[in-house]
PDB file of all heavy atoms in Angstrom:
ATOM      1  N   TRP A  16      14.031  15.808   1.487  1.00 91.00           N
ATOM      2  CA  TRP A  16      12.956  14.809   1.593  1.00 91.00           C
ATOM      3  C   TRP A  16      11.595  15.328   1.974  1.00 91.00           C
ATOM      4  O   TRP A  16      10.565  14.755   1.675  1.00 91.00           O
ATOM      5  CB  TRP A  16      13.416  13.711   2.569  1.00 91.00           C
ATOM      6  CG  TRP A  16      14.406  12.816   1.932  1.00 91.00           C
ATOM      7  CD1 TRP A  16      15.747  12.757   2.142  1.00 91.00           C
ATOM      8  CD2 TRP A  16      14.105  11.843   0.876  1.00 91.00           C
ATOM      9  NE1 TRP A  16      16.349  11.843   1.306  1.00 91.00           N
ATOM     10  CE2 TRP A  16      15.361  11.273   0.518  1.00 91.00           C
ATOM     11  CE3 TRP A  16      12.994  11.442   0.234  1.00 91.00           C
ATOM     12  CZ2 TRP A  16      15.507  10.318  -0.416  1.00 91.00           C
ATOM     13  CZ3 TRP A  16      13.096  10.471  -0.753  1.00 91.00           C
ATOM     14  CH2 TRP A  16      14.338   9.915  -1.069  1.00 91.00           C
ATOM     15  N   LYS A  17      11.551  16.433   2.664  1.00 94.00           N
ATOM     16  CA  LYS A  17      10.236  16.997   3.120  1.00 94.00           C
ATOM     17  C   LYS A  17       9.388  17.352   1.848  1.00 94.00           C
ATOM     18  O   LYS A  17       8.278  16.886   1.759  1.00 94.00           O
ATOM     19  CB  LYS A  17      10.434  18.141   4.043  1.00 94.00           C
ATOM     20  CG  LYS A  17       9.105  18.638   4.645  1.00 94.00           C
ATOM     21  CD  LYS A  17       9.338  19.704   5.694  1.00 94.00           C
ATOM     22  CE  LYS A  17       8.032  20.181   6.331  1.00 94.00           C
ATOM     23  NZ  LYS A  17       8.230  21.178   7.361  1.00 94.00           N
ATOM     24  N   PRO A  18       9.905  18.193   0.946  1.00 94.00           N
ATOM     25  CA  PRO A  18       9.116  18.498  -0.213  1.00 94.00           C
ATOM     26  C   PRO A  18       9.024  17.315  -1.208  1.00 94.00           C
ATOM     27  O   PRO A  18       8.024  17.141  -1.891  1.00 94.00           O
ATOM     28  CB  PRO A  18       9.816  19.704  -0.908  1.00 94.00           C
ATOM     29  CG  PRO A  18      11.250  19.605  -0.381  1.00 94.00           C
ATOM     30  CD  PRO A  18      11.162  18.985   0.973  1.00 94.00           C
ATOM     31  N   THR A  19      10.093  16.459  -1.260  1.00 94.00           N
ATOM     32  CA  THR A  19      10.108  15.336  -2.154  1.00 94.00           C
ATOM     33  C   THR A  19       8.992  14.360  -1.801  1.00 94.00           C
ATOM     34  O   THR A  19       8.326  13.808  -2.647  1.00 94.00           O
ATOM     35  CB  THR A  19      11.461  14.618  -2.142  1.00 94.00           C
ATOM     36  OG1 THR A  19      12.477  15.463  -2.609  1.00 94.00           O
ATOM     37  CG2 THR A  19      11.445  13.339  -2.949  1.00 94.00           C
ATOM     38  N   SER A  20       8.785  14.170  -0.485  1.00 95.00           N
ATOM     39  CA  SER A  20       7.760  13.232  -0.030  1.00 95.00           C
ATOM     40  C   SER A  20       6.343  13.640  -0.540  1.00 95.00           C
ATOM     41  O   SER A  20       5.515  12.756  -0.793  1.00 95.00           O
ATOM     42  CB  SER A  20       7.744  13.135   1.483  1.00 95.00           C
ATOM     43  OG  SER A  20       7.397  14.393   2.060  1.00 95.00           O
ATOM     44  N   LYS A  21       6.092  14.937  -0.660  1.00 95.00           N
ATOM     45  CA  LYS A  21       4.830  15.399  -1.148  1.00 95.00           C
ATOM     46  C   LYS A  21       4.697  15.029  -2.670  1.00 95.00           C
ATOM     47  O   LYS A  21       3.568  14.658  -3.096  1.00 95.00           O
ATOM     48  CB  LYS A  21       4.687  16.917  -0.988  1.00 95.00           C
ATOM     49  CG  LYS A  21       4.719  17.377   0.454  1.00 95.00           C
ATOM     50  CD  LYS A  21       4.536  18.881   0.594  1.00 95.00           C
ATOM     51  CE  LYS A  21       4.562  19.320   2.023  1.00 95.00           C
ATOM     52  NZ  LYS A  21       4.389  20.775   2.197  1.00 95.00           N
ATOM     53  N   VAL A  22       5.780  15.145  -3.422  1.00 95.00           N
ATOM     54  CA  VAL A  22       5.691  14.799  -4.835  1.00 95.00           C
ATOM     55  C   VAL A  22       5.521  13.295  -4.999  1.00 95.00           C
ATOM     56  O   VAL A  22       4.713  12.817  -5.817  1.00 95.00           O
ATOM     57  CB  VAL A  22       6.998  15.234  -5.556  1.00 95.00           C
ATOM     58  CG1 VAL A  22       6.989  14.788  -6.998  1.00 95.00           C
ATOM     59  CG2 VAL A  22       7.152  16.721  -5.513  1.00 95.00           C
ATOM     60  N   ILE A  23       6.232  12.532  -4.203  1.00 95.00           N
ATOM     61  CA  ILE A  23       6.089  11.057  -4.235  1.00 95.00           C
ATOM     62  C   ILE A  23       4.672  10.630  -3.859  1.00 95.00           C
ATOM     63  O   ILE A  23       4.082   9.767  -4.504  1.00 95.00           O
ATOM     64  CB  ILE A  23       7.122  10.389  -3.286  1.00 95.00           C
ATOM     65  CG1 ILE A  23       8.532  10.565  -3.786  1.00 95.00           C
ATOM     66  CG2 ILE A  23       6.813   8.898  -3.112  1.00 95.00           C
ATOM     67  CD1 ILE A  23       9.594  10.044  -2.877  1.00 95.00           C
ATOM     68  N   GLU A  24       4.135  11.251  -2.831  1.00 95.00           N
ATOM     69  CA  GLU A  24       2.763  10.929  -2.397  1.00 95.00           C
ATOM     70  C   GLU A  24       1.793  11.242  -3.510  1.00 95.00           C
ATOM     71  O   GLU A  24       0.823  10.456  -3.773  1.00 95.00           O
ATOM     72  CB  GLU A  24       2.415  11.732  -1.134  1.00 95.00           C
ATOM     73  CG  GLU A  24       1.039  11.407  -0.581  1.00 95.00           C
ATOM     74  CD  GLU A  24       0.764  12.214   0.671  1.00 95.00           C
ATOM     75  OE1 GLU A  24       1.696  12.788   1.228  1.00 95.00           O
ATOM     76  OE2 GLU A  24      -0.433  12.256   1.093  1.00 95.00           O
ATOM     77  N   LEU A  25       1.924  12.369  -4.185  1.00 94.00           N
ATOM     78  CA  LEU A  25       1.043  12.737  -5.278  1.00 94.00           C
ATOM     79  C   LEU A  25       1.173  11.712  -6.450  1.00 94.00           C
ATOM     80  O   LEU A  25       0.185  11.298  -7.031  1.00 94.00           O
ATOM     81  CB  LEU A  25       1.390  14.124  -5.794  1.00 94.00           C
ATOM     82  CG  LEU A  25       0.591  14.665  -6.947  1.00 94.00           C
ATOM     83  CD1 LEU A  25      -0.899  14.787  -6.575  1.00 94.00           C
ATOM     84  CD2 LEU A  25       1.136  15.988  -7.477  1.00 94.00           C
ATOM     85  N   SER A  26       2.430  11.323  -6.713  1.00 95.00           N
ATOM     86  CA  SER A  26       2.660  10.328  -7.800  1.00 95.00           C
ATOM     87  C   SER A  26       2.017   8.981  -7.455  1.00 95.00           C
ATOM     88  O   SER A  26       1.491   8.287  -8.338  1.00 95.00           O
ATOM     89  CB  SER A  26       4.128  10.167  -8.044  1.00 95.00           C
ATOM     90  OG  SER A  26       4.417   9.210  -9.001  1.00 95.00           O
ATOM     91  N   GLN A  27       2.036   8.651  -6.180  1.00 95.00           N
ATOM     92  CA  GLN A  27       1.435   7.378  -5.755  1.00 95.00           C
ATOM     93  C   GLN A  27      -0.073   7.399  -5.893  1.00 95.00           C
ATOM     94  O   GLN A  27      -0.713   6.356  -6.188  1.00 95.00           O
ATOM     95  CB  GLN A  27       1.849   7.026  -4.338  1.00 95.00           C
ATOM     96  CG  GLN A  27       3.320   6.668  -4.163  1.00 95.00           C
ATOM     97  CD  GLN A  27       3.748   6.563  -2.700  1.00 95.00           C
ATOM     98  OE1 GLN A  27       3.095   7.140  -1.785  1.00 95.00           O
ATOM     99  NE2 GLN A  27       4.792   5.828  -2.429  1.00 95.00           N
ATOM    100  N   GLU A  28      -0.665   8.538  -5.657  1.00 94.00           N
ATOM    101  CA  GLU A  28      -2.102   8.706  -5.776  1.00 94.00           C
ATOM    102  C   GLU A  28      -2.573   8.798  -7.233  1.00 94.00           C
ATOM    103  O   GLU A  28      -3.722   8.538  -7.533  1.00 94.00           O
ATOM    104  CB  GLU A  28      -2.582   9.918  -5.023  1.00 94.00           C
ATOM    105  CG  GLU A  28      -2.374   9.844  -3.527  1.00 94.00           C
ATOM    106  CD  GLU A  28      -2.683  11.128  -2.805  1.00 94.00           C
ATOM    107  OE1 GLU A  28      -2.958  12.100  -3.506  1.00 94.00           O
ATOM    108  OE2 GLU A  28      -2.663  11.147  -1.556  1.00 94.00           O
ATOM    109  N   CYS A  29      -1.672   9.268  -8.104  1.00 92.00           N
ATOM    110  CA  CYS A  29      -2.043   9.470  -9.521  1.00 92.00           C
ATOM    111  C   CYS A  29      -1.872   8.157 -10.303  1.00 92.00           C
ATOM    112  O   CYS A  29      -0.851   7.474 -10.226  1.00 92.00           O
ATOM    113  CB  CYS A  29      -1.110  10.513 -10.138  1.00 92.00           C
ATOM    114  SG  CYS A  29      -1.452  10.897 -11.835  1.00 92.00           S
ATOM    115  N   PRO A  30      -2.912   7.756 -11.093  1.00 92.00           N
ATOM    116  CA  PRO A  30      -2.801   6.534 -11.863  1.00 92.00           C
ATOM    117  C   PRO A  30      -1.908   6.647 -13.090  1.00 92.00           C
ATOM    118  O   PRO A  30      -1.762   5.642 -13.814  1.00 92.00           O
ATOM    119  CB  PRO A  30      -4.253   6.264 -12.244  1.00 92.00           C
ATOM    120  CG  PRO A  30      -4.862   7.649 -12.331  1.00 92.00           C
ATOM    121  CD  PRO A  30      -4.180   8.438 -11.268  1.00 92.00           C
ATOM    122  N   LEU A  31      -1.367   7.832 -13.338  1.00 95.00           N
ATOM    123  CA  LEU A  31      -0.595   8.058 -14.529  1.00 95.00           C
ATOM    124  C   LEU A  31       0.858   8.422 -14.219  1.00 95.00           C
ATOM    125  O   LEU A  31       1.160   8.930 -13.121  1.00 95.00           O
ATOM    126  CB  LEU A  31      -1.147   9.241 -15.348  1.00 95.00           C
ATOM    127  CG  LEU A  31      -2.642   9.094 -15.770  1.00 95.00           C
ATOM    128  CD1 LEU A  31      -3.126  10.369 -16.380  1.00 95.00           C
ATOM    129  CD2 LEU A  31      -2.791   7.947 -16.773  1.00 95.00           C
ATOM    130  N   PRO A  32       1.804   8.152 -15.119  1.00 96.00           N
ATOM    131  CA  PRO A  32       3.199   8.606 -14.946  1.00 96.00           C
ATOM    132  C   PRO A  32       3.221  10.138 -14.940  1.00 96.00           C
ATOM    133  O   PRO A  32       2.409  10.807 -15.561  1.00 96.00           O
ATOM    134  CB  PRO A  32       3.919   8.066 -16.189  1.00 96.00           C
ATOM    135  CG  PRO A  32       3.042   6.954 -16.675  1.00 96.00           C
ATOM    136  CD  PRO A  32       1.631   7.373 -16.372  1.00 96.00           C
ATOM    137  N   ILE A  33       4.196  10.669 -14.205  1.00 96.00           N
ATOM    138  CA  ILE A  33       4.328  12.123 -14.104  1.00 96.00           C
ATOM    139  C   ILE A  33       5.732  12.541 -14.495  1.00 96.00           C
ATOM    140  O   ILE A  33       6.736  11.964 -14.023  1.00 96.00           O
ATOM    141  CB  ILE A  33       4.046  12.629 -12.651  1.00 96.00           C
ATOM    142  CG1 ILE A  33       2.678  12.293 -12.225  1.00 96.00           C
ATOM    143  CG2 ILE A  33       4.319  14.136 -12.532  1.00 96.00           C
ATOM    144  CD1 ILE A  33       2.323  12.719 -10.778  1.00 96.00           C
ATOM    145  N   VAL A  34       5.809  13.540 -15.387  1.00 97.00           N
ATOM    146  CA  VAL A  34       7.095  14.136 -15.757  1.00 97.00           C
ATOM    147  C   VAL A  34       7.334  15.408 -14.879  1.00 97.00           C
ATOM    148  O   VAL A  34       6.489  16.329 -14.947  1.00 97.00           O
ATOM    149  CB  VAL A  34       7.167  14.515 -17.212  1.00 97.00           C
ATOM    150  CG1 VAL A  34       8.502  15.206 -17.546  1.00 97.00           C
ATOM    151  CG2 VAL A  34       6.973  13.255 -18.079  1.00 97.00           C
ATOM    152  N   VAL A  35       8.377  15.439 -14.112  1.00 96.00           N
ATOM    153  CA  VAL A  35       8.579  16.549 -13.175  1.00 96.00           C
ATOM    154  C   VAL A  35      10.120  16.840 -13.145  1.00 96.00           C
ATOM    155  O   VAL A  35      10.912  15.950 -13.185  1.00 96.00           O
ATOM    156  CB  VAL A  35       8.067  16.213 -11.787  1.00 96.00           C
ATOM    157  CG1 VAL A  35       8.687  14.969 -11.237  1.00 96.00           C
ATOM    158  CG2 VAL A  35       8.254  17.360 -10.794  1.00 96.00           C
ATOM    159  N   GLY A  36      10.404  18.176 -13.100  1.00 91.00           N
ATOM    160  CA  GLY A  36      11.839  18.507 -13.210  1.00 91.00           C
ATOM    161  C   GLY A  36      12.298  19.561 -12.224  1.00 91.00           C
ATOM    162  O   GLY A  36      11.478  20.163 -11.531  1.00 91.00           O
ATOM    163  N   GLY A  37      13.619  19.761 -12.185  1.00 90.00           N
ATOM    164  CA  GLY A  37      14.208  20.723 -11.333  1.00 90.00           C
ATOM    165  C   GLY A  37      15.735  20.543 -11.383  1.00 90.00           C
ATOM    166  O   GLY A  37      16.252  19.740 -12.130  1.00 90.00           O
ATOM    167  N   ALA A  38      16.428  21.268 -10.559  1.00 90.00           N
ATOM    168  CA  ALA A  38      17.895  21.149 -10.480  1.00 90.00           C
ATOM    169  C   ALA A  38      18.249  19.878  -9.774  1.00 90.00           C
ATOM    170  O   ALA A  38      17.580  19.435  -8.810  1.00 90.00           O
ATOM    171  CB  ALA A  38      18.472  22.359  -9.776  1.00 90.00           C
ATOM    172  N   ALA A  39      19.330  19.207 -10.197  1.00 92.00           N
ATOM    173  CA  ALA A  39      19.809  17.985  -9.565  1.00 92.00           C
ATOM    174  C   ALA A  39      21.291  18.194  -9.267  1.00 92.00           C
ATOM    175  O   ALA A  39      22.013  18.890  -9.930  1.00 92.00           O
ATOM    176  CB  ALA A  39      19.632  16.786 -10.488  1.00 92.00           C
ATOM    177  N   TYR A  40      21.719  17.525  -8.189  1.00 91.00           N
ATOM    178  CA  TYR A  40      23.143  17.640  -7.733  1.00 91.00           C
ATOM    179  C   TYR A  40      23.691  16.232  -7.513  1.00 91.00           C
ATOM    180  O   TYR A  40      23.186  15.456  -6.751  1.00 91.00           O
ATOM    181  CB  TYR A  40      23.215  18.419  -6.403  1.00 91.00           C
ATOM    182  CG  TYR A  40      24.618  18.594  -5.925  1.00 91.00           C
ATOM    183  CD1 TYR A  40      25.523  19.491  -6.475  1.00 91.00           C
ATOM    184  CD2 TYR A  40      25.064  17.812  -4.843  1.00 91.00           C
ATOM    185  CE1 TYR A  40      26.830  19.634  -6.001  1.00 91.00           C
ATOM    186  CE2 TYR A  40      26.375  17.940  -4.326  1.00 91.00           C
ATOM    187  CZ  TYR A  40      27.238  18.856  -4.913  1.00 91.00           C
ATOM    188  OH  TYR A  40      28.493  18.977  -4.431  1.00 91.00           O
ATOM    189  N   GLU A  41      24.779  15.925  -8.292  1.00 89.00           N
ATOM    190  CA  GLU A  41      25.396  14.654  -8.187  1.00 89.00           C
ATOM    191  C   GLU A  41      26.907  14.783  -8.441  1.00 89.00           C
ATOM    192  O   GLU A  41      27.345  15.491  -9.381  1.00 89.00           O
ATOM    193  CB  GLU A  41      24.849  13.674  -9.176  1.00 89.00           C
ATOM    194  CG  GLU A  41      23.487  13.132  -8.871  1.00 89.00           C
ATOM    195  CD  GLU A  41      23.013  12.070  -9.802  1.00 89.00           C
ATOM    196  OE1 GLU A  41      23.779  11.671 -10.702  1.00 89.00           O
ATOM    197  OE2 GLU A  41      21.832  11.633  -9.719  1.00 89.00           O
ATOM    198  N   ASP A  42      27.711  14.122  -7.610  1.00 88.00           N
ATOM    199  CA  ASP A  42      29.152  14.105  -7.792  1.00 88.00           C
ATOM    200  C   ASP A  42      29.761  15.498  -7.990  1.00 88.00           C
ATOM    201  O   ASP A  42      30.682  15.693  -8.857  1.00 88.00           O
ATOM    202  CB  ASP A  42      29.528  13.262  -9.007  1.00 88.00           C
ATOM    203  CG  ASP A  42      29.050  11.818  -8.855  1.00 88.00           C
ATOM    204  OD1 ASP A  42      29.051  11.324  -7.701  1.00 88.00           O
ATOM    205  OD2 ASP A  42      28.618  11.179  -9.818  1.00 88.00           O
ATOM    206  N   GLY A  43      29.269  16.463  -7.225  1.00 88.00           N
ATOM    207  CA  GLY A  43      29.847  17.795  -7.287  1.00 88.00           C
ATOM    208  C   GLY A  43      29.362  18.600  -8.506  1.00 88.00           C
ATOM    209  O   GLY A  43      29.938  19.693  -8.741  1.00 88.00           O
ATOM    210  N   LYS A  44      28.375  18.114  -9.241  1.00 90.00           N
ATOM    211  CA  LYS A  44      27.884  18.789 -10.419  1.00 90.00           C
ATOM    212  C   LYS A  44      26.379  19.070 -10.316  1.00 90.00           C
ATOM    213  O   LYS A  44      25.655  18.314  -9.687  1.00 90.00           O
ATOM    214  CB  LYS A  44      28.158  18.001 -11.682  1.00 90.00           C
ATOM    215  CG  LYS A  44      29.640  17.741 -12.002  1.00 90.00           C
ATOM    216  CD  LYS A  44      29.798  16.964 -13.284  1.00 90.00           C
ATOM    217  CE  LYS A  44      31.259  16.696 -13.592  1.00 90.00           C
ATOM    218  NZ  LYS A  44      31.452  15.940 -14.843  1.00 90.00           N
ATOM    219  N   TYR A  45      25.962  20.178 -10.977  1.00 90.00           N
ATOM    220  CA  TYR A  45      24.552  20.504 -11.007  1.00 90.00           C
ATOM    221  C   TYR A  45      24.002  20.227 -12.414  1.00 90.00           C
ATOM    222  O   TYR A  45      24.701  20.482 -13.431  1.00 90.00           O
ATOM    223  CB  TYR A  45      24.314  22.018 -10.682  1.00 90.00           C
ATOM    224  CG  TYR A  45      24.760  22.338  -9.258  1.00 90.00           C
ATOM    225  CD1 TYR A  45      26.045  22.840  -9.005  1.00 90.00           C
ATOM    226  CD2 TYR A  45      23.841  22.251  -8.226  1.00 90.00           C
ATOM    227  CE1 TYR A  45      26.415  23.156  -7.732  1.00 90.00           C
ATOM    228  CE2 TYR A  45      24.215  22.587  -6.928  1.00 90.00           C
ATOM    229  CZ  TYR A  45      25.485  23.049  -6.686  1.00 90.00           C
ATOM    230  OH  TYR A  45      25.888  23.393  -5.403  1.00 90.00           O
ATOM    231  N   PHE A  46      22.781  19.712 -12.497  1.00 93.00           N
ATOM    232  CA  PHE A  46      22.166  19.391 -13.757  1.00 93.00           C
ATOM    233  C   PHE A  46      20.725  19.975 -13.805  1.00 93.00           C
ATOM    234  O   PHE A  46      20.076  20.056 -12.785  1.00 93.00           O
ATOM    235  CB  PHE A  46      22.083  17.869 -13.938  1.00 93.00           C
ATOM    236  CG  PHE A  46      23.411  17.178 -13.974  1.00 93.00           C
ATOM    237  CD1 PHE A  46      23.926  16.635 -12.809  1.00 93.00           C
ATOM    238  CD2 PHE A  46      24.177  17.128 -15.125  1.00 93.00           C
ATOM    239  CE1 PHE A  46      25.171  16.010 -12.802  1.00 93.00           C
ATOM    240  CE2 PHE A  46      25.442  16.475 -15.159  1.00 93.00           C
ATOM    241  CZ  PHE A  46      25.905  15.912 -13.972  1.00 93.00           C
ATOM    242  N   ASN A  47      20.307  20.323 -15.002  1.00 93.00           N
ATOM    243  CA  ASN A  47      18.893  20.662 -15.250  1.00 93.00           C
ATOM    244  C   ASN A  47      18.223  19.357 -15.651  1.00 93.00           C
ATOM    245  O   ASN A  47      18.422  18.852 -16.769  1.00 93.00           O
ATOM    246  CB  ASN A  47      18.800  21.735 -16.365  1.00 93.00           C
ATOM    247  CG  ASN A  47      17.385  22.218 -16.487  1.00 93.00           C
ATOM    248  OD1 ASN A  47      16.406  21.638 -16.004  1.00 93.00           O
ATOM    249  ND2 ASN A  47      17.216  23.364 -17.186  1.00 93.00           N
ATOM    250  N   ARG A  48      17.338  18.809 -14.817  1.00 94.00           N
ATOM    251  CA  ARG A  48      16.901  17.411 -14.979  1.00 94.00           C
ATOM    252  C   ARG A  48      15.373  17.300 -15.031  1.00 94.00           C
ATOM    253  O   ARG A  48      14.653  18.072 -14.374  1.00 94.00           O
ATOM    254  CB  ARG A  48      17.426  16.568 -13.846  1.00 94.00           C
ATOM    255  CG  ARG A  48      16.966  15.112 -13.821  1.00 94.00           C
ATOM    256  CD  ARG A  48      17.689  14.316 -12.758  1.00 94.00           C
ATOM    257  NE  ARG A  48      19.139  14.227 -13.076  1.00 94.00           N
ATOM    258  CZ  ARG A  48      20.025  13.625 -12.283  1.00 94.00           C
ATOM    259  NH1 ARG A  48      19.618  13.090 -11.130  1.00 94.00           N
ATOM    260  NH2 ARG A  48      21.295  13.570 -12.627  1.00 94.00           N
ATOM    261  N   GLU A  49      14.931  16.344 -15.802  1.00 96.00           N
ATOM    262  CA  GLU A  49      13.498  15.957 -15.863  1.00 96.00           C
ATOM    263  C   GLU A  49      13.409  14.479 -15.443  1.00 96.00           C
ATOM    264  O   GLU A  49      14.084  13.608 -16.003  1.00 96.00           O
ATOM    265  CB  GLU A  49      12.887  16.140 -17.234  1.00 96.00           C
ATOM    266  CG  GLU A  49      12.750  17.579 -17.701  1.00 96.00           C
ATOM    267  CD  GLU A  49      11.694  18.321 -16.894  1.00 96.00           C
ATOM    268  OE1 GLU A  49      10.763  17.656 -16.381  1.00 96.00           O
ATOM    269  OE2 GLU A  49      11.780  19.549 -16.808  1.00 96.00           O
ATOM    270  N   TRP A  50      12.543  14.192 -14.483  1.00 95.00           N
ATOM    271  CA  TRP A  50      12.342  12.845 -13.964  1.00 95.00           C
ATOM    272  C   TRP A  50      11.015  12.316 -14.530  1.00 95.00           C
ATOM    273  O   TRP A  50      10.058  13.072 -14.759  1.00 95.00           O
ATOM    274  CB  TRP A  50      12.224  12.797 -12.469  1.00 95.00           C
ATOM    275  CG  TRP A  50      13.453  13.168 -11.701  1.00 95.00           C
ATOM    276  CD1 TRP A  50      13.844  14.408 -11.290  1.00 95.00           C
ATOM    277  CD2 TRP A  50      14.446  12.279 -11.213  1.00 95.00           C
ATOM    278  NE1 TRP A  50      14.998  14.355 -10.574  1.00 95.00           N
ATOM    279  CE2 TRP A  50      15.427  13.032 -10.513  1.00 95.00           C
ATOM    280  CE3 TRP A  50      14.622  10.867 -11.295  1.00 95.00           C
ATOM    281  CZ2 TRP A  50      16.541  12.465  -9.883  1.00 95.00           C
ATOM    282  CZ3 TRP A  50      15.730  10.321 -10.665  1.00 95.00           C
ATOM    283  CH2 TRP A  50      16.657  11.104 -10.009  1.00 95.00           C
ATOM    284  N   LEU A  51      10.950  10.998 -14.718  1.00 97.00           N
ATOM    285  CA  LEU A  51       9.694  10.284 -14.978  1.00 97.00           C
ATOM    286  C   LEU A  51       9.350   9.473 -13.773  1.00 97.00           C
ATOM    287  O   LEU A  51      10.109   8.528 -13.425  1.00 97.00           O
ATOM    288  CB  LEU A  51       9.771   9.415 -16.229  1.00 97.00           C
ATOM    289  CG  LEU A  51       8.514   8.617 -16.600  1.00 97.00           C
ATOM    290  CD1 LEU A  51       7.342   9.550 -16.861  1.00 97.00           C
ATOM    291  CD2 LEU A  51       8.751   7.716 -17.764  1.00 97.00           C
ATOM    292  N   LEU A  52       8.255   9.836 -13.100  1.00 96.00           N
ATOM    293  CA  LEU A  52       7.850   9.094 -11.883  1.00 96.00           C
ATOM    294  C   LEU A  52       6.608   8.230 -12.227  1.00 96.00           C
ATOM    295  O   LEU A  52       5.646   8.705 -12.852  1.00 96.00           O
ATOM    296  CB  LEU A  52       7.460  10.079 -10.761  1.00 96.00           C
ATOM    297  CG  LEU A  52       8.565  11.095 -10.342  1.00 96.00           C
ATOM    298  CD1 LEU A  52       8.012  11.936  -9.167  1.00 96.00           C
ATOM    299  CD2 LEU A  52       9.836  10.398  -9.944  1.00 96.00           C
ATOM    300  N   ILE A  53       6.690   6.965 -11.772  1.00 95.00           N
ATOM    301  CA  ILE A  53       5.550   6.053 -11.944  1.00 95.00           C
ATOM    302  C   ILE A  53       5.221   5.476 -10.575  1.00 95.00           C
ATOM    303  O   ILE A  53       6.092   4.787  -9.948  1.00 95.00           O
ATOM    304  CB  ILE A  53       5.879   4.924 -12.938  1.00 95.00           C
ATOM    305  CG1 ILE A  53       6.209   5.542 -14.309  1.00 95.00           C
ATOM    306  CG2 ILE A  53       4.715   3.960 -13.060  1.00 95.00           C
ATOM    307  CD1 ILE A  53       6.615   4.510 -15.343  1.00 95.00           C
ATOM    308  N   SER A  54       4.025   5.750 -10.093  1.00 94.00           N
ATOM    309  CA  SER A  54       3.614   5.253  -8.771  1.00 94.00           C
ATOM    310  C   SER A  54       4.599   5.624  -7.650  1.00 94.00           C
ATOM    311  O   SER A  54       4.848   4.838  -6.759  1.00 94.00           O
ATOM    312  CB  SER A  54       3.386   3.739  -8.813  1.00 94.00           C
ATOM    313  OG  SER A  54       2.387   3.416  -9.759  1.00 94.00           O
TER     314      SER A  54
END
């Protein structure tokens, strides 16, 4: 959450959607993921 909060804050300040990616972990599995953030 510490680094995530910086990305969320930036997305909130940006008037445009942002595509941002990295590794994700769910249900014991790792994924190469791209998120679409809006506000």
Side-chain angles (χ1 to χ4, degrees):
W16 284 106
K17 187 173 181 179
T19 296
S20 63
K21 296 181 180 180
V22 176
I23 292 176
E24 183 179 346
L25 179 64
S26 177
Q27 289 172 337
E28 295 173 353
C29 179
L31 302 173
I33 299 179
V34 177
V35 56
Y40 179 76
E41 285 185 6
D42 301 324
K44 296 181 180 180
Y45 296 93
F46 300 95
N47 188 344
R48 177 172 295 178
E49 291 291 335
W50 294 89
L51 177 63
L52 304 182
I53 301 178
S54 299

